[in-house]
Amino acid sequence: MFGLEINLKPRSQEELPATEYIYARRPLITIGASESANIAVAEMAELGFELQISRSIGKKFFCKPIALSSNVNLPPFIDGVFEGSAYFDLGPVEIGVIQLDSDLILKDGEAPDHGGCRILRQALASRSPLFPAIYMAGDFPVALSFAPDHPITVGRGKQCTFRVDGDDIAARHSRIGYESGKFWVEELGSVAGTFVADNQIAGRAELQPGTAIRIGRSLLLYGITSEDQITSLERSENFGAPLKNLGADRFPCLISLSEFARPSRFVLTPNQQVIIGRDPICDIWLGAPHISRRHCVLDLTKNNLVIVTDISTNGTGHDGGTLKNNESLEIDGFGKVFDFGNGLTMALCFSAEEESAFKASGGALDTFINNTYEADTSLRRVTQMNLQQYLKERDLGGSPEEKIGWLSYLVLTFKTMTLTNKLFFLSMLLLLVMLLALFFVLVFNILG
């Protein structure tokens, strides 16, 4: 954050000087006359450049003039590292910059009068924080020091400590803190998600200093505890590298439109078990009292088969029934909506079309069995619901084998079985083949 004093010089004897004081709650700001500037100063249009200011460790901050065209002479006295404050006379305008400590602000929900007294006492009794700090990689690096007892909030909102812009950045995206020698990051229910290394998180996750934290798809942060770590990070091969397979187009994924679900979009990874429940340590947190602490578990196999297992007290509902008492359901390639009660639904989507359909329906339980998908009669569709329910929905009438044929009926029946029933069916089929073989052997021996 910065405190700015902008003095506009009079252009004639009749004009009076004007002074504006601005509180900029951003770690990186641009002052200029262009539309992209965070703080617009029309008088800077004739200068031909803008002023870029970014925070560094402690009281330090960087200033850099940014030319708006190729034939602009940039003043060298602006480009450099400053500490505490700086004052620039740019001709038609004078700009004073004061770097403000991140802990000298109101906390979430804190009353202004109490917060003001606390800030005054803290400013008089303690030094400016140096470490821990959050470091943002990029063309204009930013470092924000903070006190361990004052976690920072990252997002687009005005109340965020680390305020940044981005289409994939939520108003309150995540919270970062430091405790017992480790950093922690908490996902606050964003759409694009928060990632630690290669893994999307839900709730709170601990990490070692220097570990990459991805906010959405574009913002990369690191927690550091010394200036030497910045040098080590910049020299490492993976510094600033994008995370593997990161993006909003990854599938299969879990989607929820409920405000009680965090994160609202979670990408499944092969051989990674995903736990859904009310416990904050779950991969997907559902903040409703009727949800079990550990409600259900999802596993994605290498063959893109999703296995859902109920581990709750009340069962896990879905658009084809209810799972209870450790029952499992195999889902192979077609969307499925889960019902957790009280209007809290979550969809398993295998494509962008399914994700869009679920959002357009407002999270309806019957999203994938309504008229939009009525024309889909492939085996892939049938494997996602009970066979009799499938036939009933289409009102085929008569016996199933008469309407779709014996061979198709057997294939559909087999594909709707659970894994245990499939193994039992195959065992019985093998036994039948062996008995038939034995029967023919006996017949040939008798006739021979």
Side-chain angles (χ1 to χ4, degrees), residues 162-440:
F162 201 100
R163 187 182 177 192
V164 289
D165 295 323
D167 295 337
D168 57 336
I169 305 297
R172 285 171 52 87
H173 199 107
S174 61
R175 186 183 292 112
I176 301 175
Y178 184 79
E179 186 177 337
S180 302
K182 292 183 179 180
F183 286 90
W184 55 262
V185 57
E186 181 183 7
E187 161 66 31
L188 299 180
S190 66
V191 176
T194 302
F195 299 78
V196 175
D198 290 337
N199 301 315
Q200 186 177 5
I201 67 167
R204 180 180 294 196
E206 291 187 344
L207 58 147
Q208 295 293 337
T211 304
I213 305 172
R214 178 75 68 170
I215 308 297
R217 300 185 299 275
S218 56
L219 183 60
L220 189 62
L221 304 177
Y222 298 89
I224 58 174
T225 55
S226 68
E227 292 194 49
D228 293 337
Q229 288 184 358
I230 298 179
T231 304
S232 300
L233 285 172
E234 292 176 344
R235 291 177 179 176
S236 63
E237 295 181 357
N238 296 326
F239 178 71
L243 299 182
K244 299 178 181 178
N245 300 323
L246 187 61
D249 56 346
R250 290 180 58 198
F251 295 96
C253 68
L254 291 165
I255 300 289
S256 180
L257 305 183
S258 172
E259 60 181 2
F260 298 107
R262 296 183 182 177
S264 57
R265 189 181 196 275
F266 192 95
V267 178
L268 301 183
T269 304
N271 300 323
Q272 176 190 5
Q273 189 176 76
V274 177
I275 302 176
I276 301 176
R278 184 166 45 87
D279 197 317
I281 66 172
C282 291
D283 299 293
I284 299 179
W285 175 77
L286 300 180
H290 65 280
I291 302 295
S292 299
R293 295 186 65 86
R294 290 164 57 90
H295 203 95
C296 62
V297 177
L298 287 83
D299 293 278
L300 176 63
T301 68
K302 292 183 178 180
N303 298 326
N304 215 37
L305 176 70
V306 179
I307 303 175
V308 184
T309 304
D310 171 70
I311 54 176
S312 69
T313 303
N314 303 321
T316 302
H318 57 90
D319 53 17
T322 302
L323 298 176
K324 292 183 178 181
N325 302 323
N326 295 317
E327 289 182 339
S328 295
L329 174 68
E330 297 180 2
I331 306 173
D332 184 14
F334 191 83
K336 192 74 167 174
V337 180
F338 297 95
D339 182 11
F340 293 95
N342 292 345
L344 204 168
T345 60
M346 181 175 294
L348 174 63
C349 300
F350 290 85
S351 66
E353 178 187 6
E354 292 177 349
E355 181 176 351
S356 298
F358 180 70
K359 292 179 179 179
S361 70
L365 181 62
D366 62 347
T367 297
F368 302 128
I369 56 176
N370 59 18
N371 293 333
T372 304
Y373 291 87
E374 190 67 28
D376 186 358
T377 57
S378 64
L379 291 179
R380 184 171 67 94
R381 170 70 179 96
V382 179
T383 58
Q384 303 312 302
M385 61 175 63
N386 181 274
L387 176 61
Q388 298 298 330
Q389 179 68 21
Y390 169 77
L391 298 173
K392 180 180 178 181
E393 285 180 355
R394 285 151 182 77
D395 194 23
L396 293 179
S399 63
E401 57 272 22
E402 291 175 354
K403 302 301 295 183
I404 63 176
W406 277 99
L407 182 59
S408 297
Y409 177 74
L410 290 176
V411 172
L412 295 177
T413 303
F414 181 80
K415 292 184 72 64
T416 55
M417 290 181 178
T418 64
L419 180 60
T420 303
N421 290 338
K422 286 180 180 178
L423 293 176
F424 179 78
F425 177 84
L426 292 175
S427 300
M428 293 297 99
L429 183 62
L430 179 61
L431 179 61
L432 178 61
V433 171
M434 294 175 61
L435 291 175
L436 287 175
L438 180 61
F439 172 78
F440 284 117

